[in-house]
Amino acid sequence: MFNPNMPYRSLGRCGLKLSSFSLGGWTTFGGTVKDFTSIRSILRLAYEAGINFFDIADIYAKGESERMMGAALKDFPRHELVISSKVFWPMSDDINDKGLSRKHVLESVNKSLQRIGTDYLDIYYCHRYDPETPVEETVRIMDDLIHHGKILYWGTSEWTAEQIQEAMDVCDEGGYYRPQVEQPQYSLLAREKFETNVQPKALEHGMGLTTWSPLASGMLTGKYDDGVNEGRLSRIEWLKDTFYTDKNVQRVRDMKKIADDMECTRGQLAIAWLAAQSGITSVILGATSIEQLQENLGAMKVNITTEVDLELKKLFDYQL
């Protein structure tokens, strides 16, 4: 039984409806969270809260995220779920086990379907742009997968506006199914690339937007106010280099007053702000425990007014 408090949004101009908050498996399920009972409990809470969109990728824990989330998702009716996976990153040392070639995409989708335990994916993402494969080759195999019923929609992840436009042009010229969704990184601490490049192009073409890392790997929760001693930033160096700066630490501290005035946590405020931005279909949440997911879902109760939106954008202005 879905929670009636969960808002659902169309995937761009598609008829498909996604929960405005979703659950992803990056670095968590099959990675930092290996206990199946815990994973099952987290996914059960997500489902009961009204989440219908579950985002995975073959590269997450080298297939383990697909296996474990797929096994847990069998608890729920398949027709009520929107399940996605992705293809691009190398899954082995084999020379063809990477990229967006026709061979790799076809073999990868079959392996993902087997690991997840489903006959089809609702959304299949090209996890990055592949400069070594002609876009037409990638577009045509995605179109074929839709015709064969292995996927229902295809999308891009971390593509630029120019790369998205290239794919759209090929689709229009050849009469192929267009990409219907882009999955970018977006948060108060990662705004410029999205807002100046990707968002306008997605809106132009009516693409849905499913965003990842809404909390900047925990930075926006305030957990790193006093330094990086635990959490994702302590494990992944490039994330630490990206987000952990003196300026960002101070801005996140200053954010606490806004959150306190709204009677919510900084994390809930950051997630609610993201969900309120133009064109966003679903904000992908991560969780390693039931308590963390409950905390993040508290964002559903946070109302972002025009004044709060402007205040947060000023505090986290990338043009400063």
Side-chain angles (χ1 to χ4, degrees):
M1 179 72 70
F2 280 137
N3 188 327
N5 295 320
M6 173 64 73
Y8 295 88
R9 299 172 176 174
S10 295
L11 185 68
R13 294 178 187 157
C14 295
L16 184 66
K17 301 291 193 297
L18 271 58
S19 49
S20 57
F21 300 100
S22 45
L23 186 64
W26 180 49
T27 79
T28 53
F29 305 130
T32 56
V33 184
K34 294 183 172 66
D35 178 63
F36 181 69
T37 301
S38 298
I39 293 172
R40 197 174 188 179
S41 297
I42 294 169
L43 266 65
R44 167 65 64 177
L45 172 62
Y47 175 81
E48 291 177 349
I51 287 177
N52 73 344
F53 175 37
F54 296 88
D55 180 74
I56 329 176
D58 58 358
I59 194 62
Y60 297 166
K62 282 297 180 79
E64 282 305 303
S65 184
E66 288 181 320
R67 290 190 188 93
M68 300 190 84
M69 287 185 72
L73 289 172
K74 288 188 181 300
D75 290 345
F76 316 121
R78 177 63 181 90
H79 71 277
E80 293 184 358
L81 307 177
V82 176
I83 301 175
S84 70
S85 193
K86 308 180 188 73
V87 58
F88 172 78
W89 296 106
M91 290 294 287
S92 72
D93 292 333
D94 182 80
I95 191 64
N96 284 310
D97 198 11
K98 63 181 180 179
L100 298 178
S101 69
R102 186 175 185 87
K103 176 178 174 63
H104 185 234
V105 171
L106 179 61
E107 292 176 349
S108 295
V109 75
N110 287 332
K111 291 174 184 177
S112 288
L113 290 172
Q114 184 175 23
R115 284 190 291 261
I116 297 169
T118 184
D119 294 330
Y120 68 95
L121 293 172
D122 298 274
I123 304 171
Y124 199 38
Y125 292 97
C126 295
H127 210 166
R128 291 295 188 277
Y129 180 87
D130 184 1
E132 298 183 356
T133 300
V135 169
E136 183 177 5
E137 180 177 342
T138 301
V139 164
R140 292 189 69 174
I141 182 59
M142 289 295 178
D143 184 78
D144 286 345
L145 293 180
I146 292 175
H147 283 289
H148 294 160
K150 290 181 183 289
I151 67 175
L152 303 185
Y153 304 91
W154 77 278
T156 57
S157 180
E158 287 297 312
W159 284 33
T160 65
E162 295 74 22
Q163 292 162 353
I164 291 171
Q165 185 61 56
E166 183 182 1
M168 292 295 182
D169 290 342
V170 170
C171 289
D172 292 348
E173 290 168 7
Y176 307 120
Y177 280 105
R178 285 174 146 219
Q180 298 289 351
V181 57
E182 158 65 17
Q183 185 172 123
Q185 179 180 190
Y186 187 35
S187 71
L188 284 166
L189 287 174
R191 293 178 53 201
E192 184 171 10
K193 176 186 174 183
F194 175 76
E195 293 179 0
T196 63
N197 183 267
V198 177
Q199 186 182 35
K201 183 58 66 175
L203 293 174
E204 175 189 341
H205 290 292
M207 298 178 75
L209 291 162
T210 57
T211 63
W212 61 276
S213 199
L215 297 175
S217 294
M219 187 73 192
L220 288 164
T221 66
K223 69 186 293 182
Y224 302 117
D225 282 356
D226 299 316
V228 178
N229 300 311
E230 59 176 347
R232 190 176 292 171
L233 294 191
S234 68
R235 301 190 305 272
I236 305 177
E237 192 65 30
W238 71 265
L239 286 174
K240 181 180 178 182
D241 293 341
T242 299
F243 294 123
Y244 192 76
T245 66
D246 291 341
K247 179 180 178 180
N248 284 345
V249 169
Q250 187 56 53
R251 291 197 292 188
V252 172
R253 287 174 179 160
D254 292 341
M255 180 186 179
K256 187 174 187 304
K257 183 181 185 306
I258 304 173
D260 289 346
D261 288 345
M262 298 184 67
E263 299 183 344
C264 65
T265 65
R266 282 176 280 180
Q268 290 167 346
L269 179 59
I271 291 169
W273 174 85
L274 186 51
Q277 301 309 300
S278 179
I280 303 302
T281 303
S282 189
V283 177
I284 301 172
L285 307 175
T288 59
S289 67
I290 287 178
E291 293 75 19
Q292 186 179 17
L293 182 57
Q294 288 173 327
E295 155 72 16
N296 290 344
L297 287 173
M300 286 194 294
K301 299 178 180 178
V302 179
N303 178 39
I304 302 297
T305 63
T306 301
E307 292 74 22
V308 170
D309 179 52
L310 293 174
E311 189 174 3
L312 287 170
K313 285 178 177 174
K314 182 178 179 180
L315 178 59
F316 291 93
D317 193 343
Y318 51 80
Q319 295 177 333
L320 293 177

mmCIF file of all heavy atoms in Angstrom, residues 157-185:
data_model
loop_
_atom_site.group_PDB
_atom_site.id
_atom_site.type_symbol
_atom_site.label_atom_id
_atom_site.label_comp_id
_atom_site.label_asym_id
_atom_site.label_seq_id
_atom_site.Cartn_x
_atom_site.Cartn_y
_atom_site.Cartn_z
ATOM 1 N N SER A 157 23.222 9.836 -18.291
ATOM 2 C CA SER A 157 23.650 10.214 -16.951
ATOM 3 C C SER A 157 24.986 10.933 -17.037
ATOM 4 O O SER A 157 25.949 10.391 -17.591
ATOM 5 C CB SER A 157 23.777 8.989 -16.035
ATOM 6 O OG SER A 157 24.194 9.373 -14.740
ATOM 7 N N GLU A 158 25.015 12.149 -16.525
ATOM 8 C CA GLU A 158 26.219 12.983 -16.548
ATOM 9 C C GLU A 158 26.656 13.317 -17.973
ATOM 10 O O GLU A 158 27.849 13.401 -18.260
ATOM 11 C CB GLU A 158 27.350 12.317 -15.760
ATOM 12 C CG GLU A 158 27.148 12.362 -14.252
ATOM 13 C CD GLU A 158 27.132 13.786 -13.703
ATOM 14 O OE1 GLU A 158 28.019 14.572 -14.034
ATOM 15 O OE2 GLU A 158 26.201 14.106 -12.937
ATOM 16 N N TRP A 159 25.692 13.512 -18.879
ATOM 17 C CA TRP A 159 25.996 14.004 -20.215
ATOM 18 C C TRP A 159 25.882 15.527 -20.210
ATOM 19 O O TRP A 159 25.123 16.102 -19.423
ATOM 20 C CB TRP A 159 25.018 13.420 -21.238
ATOM 21 C CG TRP A 159 25.280 11.983 -21.602
ATOM 22 C CD1 TRP A 159 25.772 11.009 -20.790
ATOM 23 C CD2 TRP A 159 25.030 11.362 -22.864
ATOM 24 N NE1 TRP A 159 25.855 9.819 -21.462
ATOM 25 C CE2 TRP A 159 25.397 10.003 -22.749
ATOM 26 C CE3 TRP A 159 24.527 11.823 -24.078
ATOM 27 C CZ2 TRP A 159 25.284 9.103 -23.805
ATOM 28 C CZ3 TRP A 159 24.409 10.917 -25.142
ATOM 29 C CH2 TRP A 159 24.786 9.575 -25.006
ATOM 30 N N THR A 160 26.608 16.159 -21.098
ATOM 31 C CA THR A 160 26.499 17.608 -21.236
ATOM 32 C C THR A 160 25.324 17.941 -22.153
ATOM 33 O O THR A 160 24.786 17.071 -22.860
ATOM 34 C CB THR A 160 27.775 18.202 -21.846
ATOM 35 O OG1 THR A 160 27.910 17.710 -23.191
ATOM 36 C CG2 THR A 160 29.008 17.813 -21.032
ATOM 37 N N ALA A 161 24.954 19.218 -22.180
ATOM 38 C CA ALA A 161 23.885 19.666 -23.064
ATOM 39 C C ALA A 161 24.222 19.367 -24.520
ATOM 40 O O ALA A 161 23.353 18.946 -25.311
ATOM 41 C CB ALA A 161 23.654 21.161 -22.881
ATOM 42 N N GLU A 162 25.477 19.543 -24.893
ATOM 43 C CA GLU A 162 25.896 19.313 -26.267
ATOM 44 C C GLU A 162 25.792 17.829 -26.640
ATOM 45 O O GLU A 162 25.397 17.482 -27.764
ATOM 46 C CB GLU A 162 27.332 19.810 -26.460
ATOM 47 C CG GLU A 162 27.510 21.320 -26.290
ATOM 48 C CD GLU A 162 27.437 21.798 -24.846
ATOM 49 O OE1 GLU A 162 27.659 20.964 -23.925
ATOM 50 O OE2 GLU A 162 27.149 22.998 -24.628
ATOM 51 N N GLN A 163 26.139 16.964 -25.709
ATOM 52 C CA GLN A 163 26.051 15.522 -25.962
ATOM 53 C C GLN A 163 24.599 15.064 -26.042
ATOM 54 O O GLN A 163 24.246 14.228 -26.888
ATOM 55 C CB GLN A 163 26.799 14.775 -24.862
ATOM 56 C CG GLN A 163 28.300 14.995 -24.914
ATOM 57 C CD GLN A 163 29.013 14.642 -23.620
ATOM 58 O OE1 GLN A 163 28.384 14.338 -22.595
ATOM 59 N NE2 GLN A 163 30.339 14.685 -23.647
ATOM 60 N N ILE A 164 23.759 15.630 -25.189
ATOM 61 C CA ILE A 164 22.326 15.318 -25.246
ATOM 62 C C ILE A 164 21.738 15.761 -26.580
ATOM 63 O O ILE A 164 20.976 15.026 -27.220
ATOM 64 C CB ILE A 164 21.584 15.990 -24.074
ATOM 65 C CG1 ILE A 164 21.977 15.326 -22.743
ATOM 66 C CG2 ILE A 164 20.067 15.926 -24.274
ATOM 67 C CD1 ILE A 164 21.468 16.059 -21.515
ATOM 68 N N GLN A 165 22.102 16.959 -27.022
ATOM 69 C CA GLN A 165 21.590 17.466 -28.293
ATOM 70 C C GLN A 165 22.027 16.576 -29.451
ATOM 71 O O GLN A 165 21.251 16.331 -30.387
ATOM 72 C CB GLN A 165 22.066 18.900 -28.524
ATOM 73 C CG GLN A 165 21.475 19.553 -29.767
ATOM 74 C CD GLN A 165 19.964 19.659 -29.708
ATOM 75 O OE1 GLN A 165 19.414 20.238 -28.774
ATOM 76 N NE2 GLN A 165 19.272 19.092 -30.694
ATOM 77 N N GLU A 166 23.248 16.089 -29.392
ATOM 78 C CA GLU A 166 23.744 15.188 -30.443
ATOM 79 C C GLU A 166 22.873 13.940 -30.531
ATOM 80 O O GLU A 166 22.494 13.505 -31.626
ATOM 81 C CB GLU A 166 25.199 14.810 -30.157
ATOM 82 C CG GLU A 166 25.838 13.936 -31.231
ATOM 83 C CD GLU A 166 27.268 13.540 -30.896
ATOM 84 O OE1 GLU A 166 27.764 13.920 -29.811
ATOM 85 O OE2 GLU A 166 27.876 12.846 -31.731
ATOM 86 N N ALA A 167 22.543 13.367 -29.383
ATOM 87 C CA ALA A 167 21.692 12.173 -29.361
ATOM 88 C C ALA A 167 20.297 12.488 -29.889
ATOM 89 O O ALA A 167 19.709 11.701 -30.647
ATOM 90 C CB ALA A 167 21.618 11.609 -27.949
ATOM 91 N N MET A 168 19.761 13.631 -29.501
ATOM 92 C CA MET A 168 18.432 14.030 -29.970
ATOM 93 C C MET A 168 18.410 14.183 -31.496
ATOM 94 O O MET A 168 17.459 13.758 -32.167
ATOM 95 C CB MET A 168 18.016 15.345 -29.313
ATOM 96 C CG MET A 168 17.755 15.259 -27.818
ATOM 97 S SD MET A 168 16.333 14.209 -27.447
ATOM 98 C CE MET A 168 16.270 14.394 -25.640
ATOM 99 N N ASP A 169 19.446 14.776 -32.050
ATOM 100 C CA ASP A 169 19.516 14.973 -33.494
ATOM 101 C C ASP A 169 19.539 13.633 -34.224
ATOM 102 O O ASP A 169 18.851 13.451 -35.254
ATOM 103 C CB ASP A 169 20.755 15.792 -33.861
ATOM 104 C CG ASP A 169 20.656 17.244 -33.411
ATOM 105 O OD1 ASP A 169 19.528 17.713 -33.128
ATOM 106 O OD2 ASP A 169 21.712 17.906 -33.333
ATOM 107 N N VAL A 170 20.324 12.695 -33.714
ATOM 108 C CA VAL A 170 20.406 11.368 -34.337
ATOM 109 C C VAL A 170 19.045 10.675 -34.258
ATOM 110 O O VAL A 170 18.587 10.052 -35.238
ATOM 111 C CB VAL A 170 21.490 10.511 -33.649
ATOM 112 C CG1 VAL A 170 21.409 9.058 -34.118
ATOM 113 C CG2 VAL A 170 22.872 11.073 -33.938
ATOM 114 N N CYS A 171 18.386 10.781 -33.121
ATOM 115 C CA CYS A 171 17.073 10.151 -32.950
ATOM 116 C C CYS A 171 16.051 10.742 -33.921
ATOM 117 O O CYS A 171 15.280 10.005 -34.555
ATOM 118 C CB CYS A 171 16.577 10.332 -31.517
ATOM 119 S SG CYS A 171 17.477 9.367 -30.293
ATOM 120 N N ASP A 172 16.043 12.046 -34.033
ATOM 121 C CA ASP A 172 15.076 12.704 -34.900
ATOM 122 C C ASP A 172 15.320 12.380 -36.374
ATOM 123 O O ASP A 172 14.384 12.173 -37.147
ATOM 124 C CB ASP A 172 15.110 14.216 -34.681
ATOM 125 C CG ASP A 172 14.582 14.616 -33.306
ATOM 126 O OD1 ASP A 172 13.977 13.748 -32.630
ATOM 127 O OD2 ASP A 172 14.796 15.775 -32.907
ATOM 128 N N GLU A 173 16.585 12.315 -36.747
ATOM 129 C CA GLU A 173 16.920 12.023 -38.142
ATOM 130 C C GLU A 173 16.605 10.571 -38.510
ATOM 131 O O GLU A 173 16.196 10.285 -39.640
ATOM 132 C CB GLU A 173 18.398 12.308 -38.388
ATOM 133 C CG GLU A 173 18.751 13.800 -38.351
ATOM 134 C CD GLU A 173 20.245 14.056 -38.295
ATOM 135 O OE1 GLU A 173 21.018 13.064 -38.421
ATOM 136 O OE2 GLU A 173 20.650 15.223 -38.124
ATOM 137 N N GLY A 174 16.788 9.672 -37.559
ATOM 138 C CA GLY A 174 16.579 8.248 -37.848
ATOM 139 C C GLY A 174 15.246 7.690 -37.394
ATOM 140 O O GLY A 174 14.940 6.524 -37.670
ATOM 141 N N GLY A 175 14.471 8.506 -36.704
ATOM 142 C CA GLY A 175 13.184 8.025 -36.211
ATOM 143 C C GLY A 175 13.315 7.058 -35.050
ATOM 144 O O GLY A 175 12.483 6.160 -34.872
ATOM 145 N N TYR A 176 14.353 7.230 -34.236
ATOM 146 C CA TYR A 176 14.586 6.348 -33.094
ATOM 147 C C TYR A 176 13.966 6.939 -31.819
ATOM 148 O O TYR A 176 13.713 8.145 -31.740
ATOM 149 C CB TYR A 176 16.092 6.150 -32.874
ATOM 150 C CG TYR A 176 16.832 5.686 -34.098
ATOM 151 C CD1 TYR A 176 17.863 6.452 -34.632
ATOM 152 C CD2 TYR A 176 16.508 4.488 -34.717
ATOM 153 C CE1 TYR A 176 18.549 6.039 -35.762
ATOM 154 C CE2 TYR A 176 17.193 4.058 -35.853
ATOM 155 C CZ TYR A 176 18.205 4.845 -36.376
ATOM 156 O OH TYR A 176 18.873 4.435 -37.499
ATOM 157 N N TYR A 177 13.752 6.058 -30.829
ATOM 158 C CA TYR A 177 13.277 6.527 -29.537
ATOM 159 C C TYR A 177 14.294 7.474 -28.920
ATOM 160 O O TYR A 177 15.486 7.156 -28.840
ATOM 161 C CB TYR A 177 13.031 5.354 -28.585
ATOM 162 C CG TYR A 177 11.720 4.645 -28.809
ATOM 163 C CD1 TYR A 177 11.679 3.397 -29.429
ATOM 164 C CD2 TYR A 177 10.524 5.217 -28.395
ATOM 165 C CE1 TYR A 177 10.473 2.732 -29.632
ATOM 166 C CE2 TYR A 177 9.311 4.564 -28.588
ATOM 167 C CZ TYR A 177 9.294 3.329 -29.206
ATOM 168 O OH TYR A 177 8.097 2.681 -29.407
ATOM 169 N N ARG A 178 13.812 8.622 -28.455
ATOM 170 C CA ARG A 178 14.687 9.619 -27.831
ATOM 171 C C ARG A 178 15.008 9.238 -26.385
ATOM 172 O O ARG A 178 14.219 8.555 -25.730
ATOM 173 C CB ARG A 178 13.978 10.970 -27.794
ATOM 174 C CG ARG A 178 13.882 11.720 -29.102
ATOM 175 C CD ARG A 178 13.023 12.964 -28.925
ATOM 176 N NE ARG A 178 13.494 14.060 -29.768
ATOM 177 C CZ ARG A 178 13.521 15.329 -29.390
ATOM 178 N NH1 ARG A 178 13.097 15.682 -28.195
ATOM 179 N NH2 ARG A 178 13.965 16.266 -30.208
ATOM 180 N N PRO A 179 16.140 9.727 -25.864
ATOM 181 C CA PRO A 179 16.363 9.608 -24.418
ATOM 182 C C PRO A 179 15.337 10.474 -23.692
ATOM 183 O O PRO A 179 15.130 11.632 -24.054
ATOM 184 C CB PRO A 179 17.786 10.139 -24.236
ATOM 185 C CG PRO A 179 18.017 11.032 -25.416
ATOM 186 C CD PRO A 179 17.242 10.429 -26.554
ATOM 187 N N GLN A 180 14.714 9.923 -22.663
ATOM 188 C CA GLN A 180 13.632 10.624 -21.981
ATOM 189 C C GLN A 180 14.026 11.170 -20.614
ATOM 190 O O GLN A 180 13.229 11.861 -19.978
ATOM 191 C CB GLN A 180 12.433 9.672 -21.805
ATOM 192 C CG GLN A 180 11.838 9.180 -23.114
ATOM 193 C CD GLN A 180 11.099 10.264 -23.881
ATOM 194 O OE1 GLN A 180 10.868 11.358 -23.374
ATOM 195 N NE2 GLN A 180 10.728 9.998 -25.116
ATOM 196 N N VAL A 181 15.241 10.895 -20.190
ATOM 197 C CA VAL A 181 15.631 11.309 -18.841
ATOM 198 C C VAL A 181 17.143 11.472 -18.763
ATOM 199 O O VAL A 181 17.886 10.742 -19.419
ATOM 200 C CB VAL A 181 15.132 10.278 -17.796
ATOM 201 C CG1 VAL A 181 15.650 8.877 -18.102
ATOM 202 C CG2 VAL A 181 15.511 10.692 -16.375
ATOM 203 N N GLU A 182 17.579 12.439 -17.982
ATOM 204 C CA GLU A 182 18.998 12.640 -17.668
ATOM 205 C C GLU A 182 19.158 12.521 -16.158
ATOM 206 O O GLU A 182 18.314 12.986 -15.386
ATOM 207 C CB GLU A 182 19.467 14.015 -18.145
ATOM 208 C CG GLU A 182 20.704 14.605 -17.467
ATOM 209 C CD GLU A 182 22.008 13.846 -17.690
ATOM 210 O OE1 GLU A 182 22.089 13.028 -18.617
ATOM 211 O OE2 GLU A 182 22.949 14.078 -16.906
ATOM 212 N N GLN A 183 20.242 11.864 -15.753
ATOM 213 C CA GLN A 183 20.518 11.724 -14.318
ATOM 214 C C GLN A 183 21.822 12.469 -13.983
ATOM 215 O O GLN A 183 22.916 11.956 -14.178
ATOM 216 C CB GLN A 183 20.643 10.258 -13.904
ATOM 217 C CG GLN A 183 20.803 10.090 -12.407
ATOM 218 C CD GLN A 183 20.742 8.645 -11.964
ATOM 219 O OE1 GLN A 183 21.668 8.145 -11.332
ATOM 220 N NE2 GLN A 183 19.674 7.955 -12.298
ATOM 221 N N PRO A 184 21.705 13.712 -13.509
ATOM 222 C CA PRO A 184 22.885 14.513 -13.186
ATOM 223 C C PRO A 184 23.139 14.579 -11.682
ATOM 224 O O PRO A 184 22.237 14.347 -10.870
ATOM 225 C CB PRO A 184 22.468 15.897 -13.684
ATOM 226 C CG PRO A 184 20.996 15.936 -13.349
ATOM 227 C CD PRO A 184 20.472 14.520 -13.462
ATOM 228 N N GLN A 185 24.351 14.917 -11.333
ATOM 229 C CA GLN A 185 24.612 15.283 -9.947
ATOM 230 C C GLN A 185 24.070 16.700 -9.727
ATOM 231 O O GLN A 185 24.293 17.586 -10.547
ATOM 232 C CB GLN A 185 26.107 15.263 -9.637
ATOM 233 C CG GLN A 185 26.413 15.664 -8.197
ATOM 234 C CD GLN A 185 27.880 15.648 -7.848
ATOM 235 O OE1 GLN A 185 28.259 15.767 -6.684
ATOM 236 N NE2 GLN A 185 28.737 15.489 -8.836
#
